[in-house]
Amino acid sequence: MKASVVIGLQCVFCDSALESDLNNEPLSGDIIECQNCHQLNDYDSLVDVAVNKEVDSLFEDGLGF
């Protein structure tokens, strides 16, 4: 059985959840503006940070690979 995980993206500057435009899904290389602090976030960096946090969390919970 395969499990799936939904990972939300958070601003690297203020840690606020980033809202997505339902009509335009972000792609590699996109820049996303935080609606809270208005800083620009690189989508690829956001994904890297979010995945690393989730992997660390899984290992802490004893569910690692």
Side-chain angles (χ1 to χ4, degrees), residues 33-53:
E33 182 179 357
C34 176
Q35 296 81 14
N36 186 49
C37 71
H38 303 287
Q39 291 288 331
L40 301 178
N41 292 266
D42 173 64
Y43 177 73
D44 297 319
S45 296
L46 292 171
V47 170
D48 287 343
V49 168
V51 168
N52 286 335
K53 281 184 180 179

Side-chain angles (χ1 to χ4, degrees), residues 1-28:
M1 179 173 93
K2 291 185 179 181
S4 63
V5 176
V6 175
I7 301 172
L9 299 179
Q10 293 181 292
C11 176
V12 295
F13 300 98
C14 72
D15 214 28
S16 293
L18 294 173
E19 303 286 328
S20 67
D21 179 358
L22 297 177
N23 297 323
N24 190 16
E25 186 170 334
L27 301 171
S28 179

